[in-house]
Amino acid sequence: MAEPDEWSTDANEAIQVLLVRPGKNEVKTVQSFHPRFTYPIFGEEERVFGYQGLKINLRFAVHDLQSNVETIWDKKFKPVRDTEATDLREILRESLPPTAFEKTTKFTSHIQSDASAKDFKPPGKLSSTYTTKRGTFEIWSGNLADPAVQQLLKRMQIFVSFFIEGGTYLNLDDPEWTIDRWKVFFLYEKLPAHSPPTASSYSLIGYATSYRNYLYTPTGLPSPPSSPPKRISPSATHTFTLPLPSPPSPTSLPNRERISQFIILPPYQGHGHGSHLYTALIKTFLPDPSVIEITVEDPNEAFDDLRDYCDLARLRTNPEFTKLHLNISASASASVSGQKRRGPRLTVSQILDQALLARLRTETKIAPRQFSRLVEMHLLSLIPVRHRSTARLTKKGNAADENDRAYYFWRLLVKQRLYRHNRDQLAQLDRLDRVDKLEETLGGVEGDYVRLLRGAKERVGEVRDGEAVLDGVEQGVDDDDEEGEEGEEGEGGNGEGRRNRAKRRLVVEDEDQDQDQDMDEGERTMKKAKI
């Protein structure tokens, strides 16, 4: 009998995704690519047992994602007792609709002759349009409660398994009030007229999802001790009846909008589509008064980069943000109650205008941690490179050169944040180890900022109507815009996206994984994507 390895096939290599559309005489393949992950379908080893020369062709119509599975092999393992070949149809049935298992000839015949394709329009409403040298592209958005949006999303959910590490399918059977919290954004290329005339003018590039979490916002604050106490809640003399005659919609309450799944299909990565899609999401959420904060669910490192580039470019279109500067005249030798201190004890408010920062963060709806990082990044960019050296800080905040003083105060600013968000871990170390760990982490954070600032300078192409346009930046919350050969990296591409970045360190990290929230914010309700 043949060795087991002879009957084992790499699922990632065996599966080929083909995007197809009608041709002149027969269906033609527009793009083809392999999945990055298949372990959610075929197990951790990502192997298929029982076949030699196995090929699994997954065809999708480029406009509405109707699908078909074609399996081809040279030899199939004959059952021996309880050992038999993997049932491909059964294992793929959980990820594809029943119609996907019809004969391939029937599928291709339907795609070639489907007269309704020419009238296809993506579900939802047109959110934005942009044009590049590669063509014209449209971003459509809709609520998941819309049956047309649900149908299209259901057809493409297998891409979550293929391109989002740890991603899970959305449960479309949830109650309507839960489904109503979700938005879906579809990115399509708008094609010119094709032959035959029945062909659709739309071709899918990628998509993203987001959902809303209720965000508790206190209606009042306790009064200072010197003032008479005031009630935060309604007076006891107020009466009301439960249930309320017209309960408020969950989507109308103050909420945190969280970007979940984000995928740019591999053939289209590296062309700036990820940044355009991300920008479209942000422009949709900003005008909504019920959205207090925009966050990202469990992003991967590549998507972190994309968001950093886009958010920094967006903030730099704001004159108030660009005028931010460190107060290099702050006293670095203050004492309290006549007590001597080992070193300077400065508050953040002495270094930066905290009221202005709070207002800018509220207006831009950026999560606290992300906003702090962007401020630090911008302030670092104002300090000339030759002054970013600890060797020049012998006089600390009293250095003669203002750039040396700025670098000194910048380091204090970042150290304070790192300490605040890693207080419990640092408390377990003695003082010298704590100082060393903070210094080590600060060096990593600064190095990462330098990398990001260099990348932002290289990628920023232009600013149109206040919208930052980044060339060649894609991402990943599932952005499948990964930084591979095209300079992209993300959870939906072929790159590895495993750089050892400073903000991911276990101890004294620039915070935990970037979930767009501080450590005291609410827990994630469900894991949808890792970017």
Side-chain angles (χ1 to χ4, degrees):
M1 186 177 71
E3 293 296 325
D5 286 350
E6 295 183 24
W7 296 101
S8 180
T9 305
D10 185 331
N12 294 339
E13 292 297 324
I15 294 178
Q16 186 173 35
V17 179
L18 302 103
L19 304 181
V20 300
R21 64 181 302 108
K24 186 175 181 179
N25 298 310
E26 60 182 10
V27 169
K28 67 176 182 179
T29 298
V30 178
Q31 298 285 356
S32 63
F33 50 91
H34 294 280
R36 184 180 180 189
F37 309 110
T38 52
Y39 67 86
I41 300 174
F42 292 101
E44 291 297 326
E45 298 299 322
E46 299 185 321
R47 310 288 296 184
V48 181
F49 175 76
Y51 302 88
Q52 292 183 6
L54 176 65
K55 293 182 180 180
I56 304 174
N57 295 323
L58 295 182
R59 292 181 173 86
F60 292 88
V62 294
H63 62 295
D64 63 0
L65 278 294
Q66 294 182 68
S67 58
N68 175 260
V69 181
E70 179 187 32
T71 55
I72 304 171
W73 59 82
D74 296 333
K75 293 182 180 180
K76 183 175 180 179
F77 184 80
K78 294 181 179 180
V80 177
R81 298 187 178 87
D82 295 333
T83 303
E84 58 184 2
T86 301
D87 187 336
L88 297 174
R89 178 183 290 265
E90 184 64 28
I91 206 168
L92 291 171
R93 194 182 299 278
E94 298 179 8
S95 304
L96 295 168
T99 54
F101 300 94
E102 295 178 349
K103 291 184 177 181
T104 301
T105 53
K106 182 178 179 180
F107 171 79
T108 56
S109 176
H110 170 70
I111 296 301
Q112 183 68 17
S113 61
D114 184 9
S116 65
K118 71 178 187 302
D119 300 320
F120 171 84
K121 283 189 176 181
K125 65 179 181 179
L126 180 62
S127 294
S128 64
T129 301
Y130 64 93
T131 301
T132 70
K133 61 183 180 181
R134 298 177 182 275
T136 299
F137 303 88
E138 296 180 353
I139 298 172
W140 293 69
S141 62
N143 190 285
L144 193 55
D146 182 345
V149 173
Q150 280 196 33
Q151 182 185 52
L152 185 56
L153 181 67
K154 188 173 183 179
R155 290 174 176 176
M156 61 178 64
Q157 288 219 93
I158 194 171
F159 293 142
V160 173
S161 296
F162 286 167
F163 301 114
I164 303 179
E165 186 172 7
T168 56
Y169 298 162
L170 302 190
N171 186 356
L172 302 180
D173 296 324
D174 280 344
E176 184 176 351
W177 70 268
T178 299
I179 293 292
D180 193 50
R181 297 185 304 142
W182 287 85
K183 288 187 179 70
V184 186
F185 298 78
F186 302 104
L187 172 56
Y188 276 89
E189 181 179 6
K190 185 70 162 61
L191 303 169
H194 278 71
S195 176
T198 56
S200 172
S201 58
Y202 286 95
S203 180
L204 184 74
I205 302 295
Y207 77 98
T209 63
S210 71
Y211 64 99
R212 294 187 170 190
N213 279 339
Y214 172 72
L215 180 63
Y216 172 69
T217 52
T219 57
L221 296 174
S223 303
S226 58
S227 305
K230 295 181 179 180
R231 293 182 181 274
I232 300 177
S233 57
S235 171
T237 59
H238 293 181
T239 60
F240 55 90
T241 304
L242 292 177
L244 298 176
S246 55
S249 167
T251 57
S252 66
L253 299 173
N255 67 82
R256 177 184 291 118
E257 190 80 37
R258 182 164 295 174
I259 299 172
S260 180
Q261 300 164 335
F262 193 108
I263 295 177
I264 302 295
L265 298 178
Y268 306 105
Q269 296 170 17
H271 305 311
H273 296 302
S275 61
H276 283 287
L277 182 54
Y278 178 83
T279 299
L281 268 67
I282 299 302
K283 292 181 71 174
T284 299
F285 304 145
L286 279 178
D288 190 335
S290 68
V291 176
I292 308 302
E293 197 171 275
I294 303 170
T295 68
V296 178
E297 181 184 357
D298 197 12
N300 64 13
E301 295 170 5
F303 191 84
D304 278 338
D305 283 0
L306 173 85
R307 186 177 50 156
D308 287 344
Y309 292 137
C310 291
D311 286 351
L312 183 61
R314 176 162 64 98
L315 287 174
R316 283 178 166 177
T317 64
N318 186 324
E320 289 188 292
F321 181 84
T322 57
K323 291 178 181 177
L324 284 176
H325 65 279
L326 292 163
N327 177 17
I328 59 176
S329 300
S331 173
S333 57
S335 61
V336 178
S337 302
Q339 299 178 1
K340 294 184 177 180
R341 294 173 178 261
R342 287 194 180 93
R345 290 296 187 272
L346 296 175
T347 63
V348 173
S349 60
Q350 291 177 268
I351 301 175
L352 279 174
D353 185 342
Q354 293 303 298
L356 174 60
L357 290 179
R359 180 168 61 80
L360 288 175
R361 192 192 75 78
T362 301
E363 292 174 353
T364 57
K365 302 186 179 182
I366 298 176
R369 172 185 177 275
Q370 173 71 355
F371 187 77
S372 295
R373 294 182 60 256
L374 295 169
V375 170
E376 294 165 3
M377 207 179 302
H378 174 68
L379 293 174
L380 179 64
S381 72
L382 303 179
I383 303 172
V385 176
R386 69 187 187 91
H387 291 273
R388 302 175 194 170
S389 171
T390 55
R392 302 177 63 95
L393 302 181
T394 55
K395 295 185 178 181
K396 300 183 178 180
N398 298 316
D401 191 289
E402 64 179 18
N403 288 313
D404 291 340
R405 295 201 302 276
Y407 185 56
Y408 172 74
F409 286 121
W410 181 85
R411 286 169 53 84
L412 288 182
L413 178 71
V414 180
K415 279 185 178 181
Q416 185 189 65
R417 184 175 64 83
L418 294 177
Y419 182 84
R420 184 175 66 251
H421 288 287
N422 296 276
R423 186 189 303 271
D424 292 342
Q425 292 168 302
L426 290 170
Q428 302 175 29
L429 306 176
D430 59 40
R431 181 179 177 278
L432 292 180
D433 289 341
R434 189 161 59 241
V435 170
D436 289 343
K437 180 57 68 175
L438 269 174
E439 190 68 28
E440 175 190 349
T441 304
L442 174 61
V445 170
E446 181 179 345
D448 199 48
Y449 286 172
V450 169
R451 176 184 65 81
L452 290 166
L453 288 169
R454 184 185 302 116
K457 184 176 181 180
E458 293 172 351
R459 288 170 168 84
V460 172
E462 58 183 314
V463 176
R464 300 193 187 112
D465 299 327
E467 171 185 333
V469 180
L470 304 186
D471 293 330
V473 181
E474 333 258 282
Q475 80 265 16
V477 142
D478 159 37
D479 169 279
D480 242 293
D481 276 347
E482 309 200 348
E483 196 166 41
E485 296 180 351
E486 295 291 339
E488 316 275 297
E489 194 75 51
E491 234 13 310
N494 297 321
E496 291 303 317
R498 294 291 183 271
R499 289 188 301 276
N500 182 20
R501 297 174 58 187
K503 69 178 179 179
R504 296 282 183 170
R505 299 185 184 217
L506 177 61
V507 180
V508 192
E509 50 191 5
D510 173 9
E511 257 126 299
D512 246 37
Q513 295 180 354
D514 185 7
Q515 302 170 15
D516 283 11
Q517 53 190 17
D518 290 332
M519 297 173 68
D520 60 343
E521 292 182 346
E523 297 180 356
R524 299 192 303 276
T525 56
M526 58 177 69
K527 182 171 183 179
K528 292 292 181 301
K530 183 176 182 179
I531 55 178

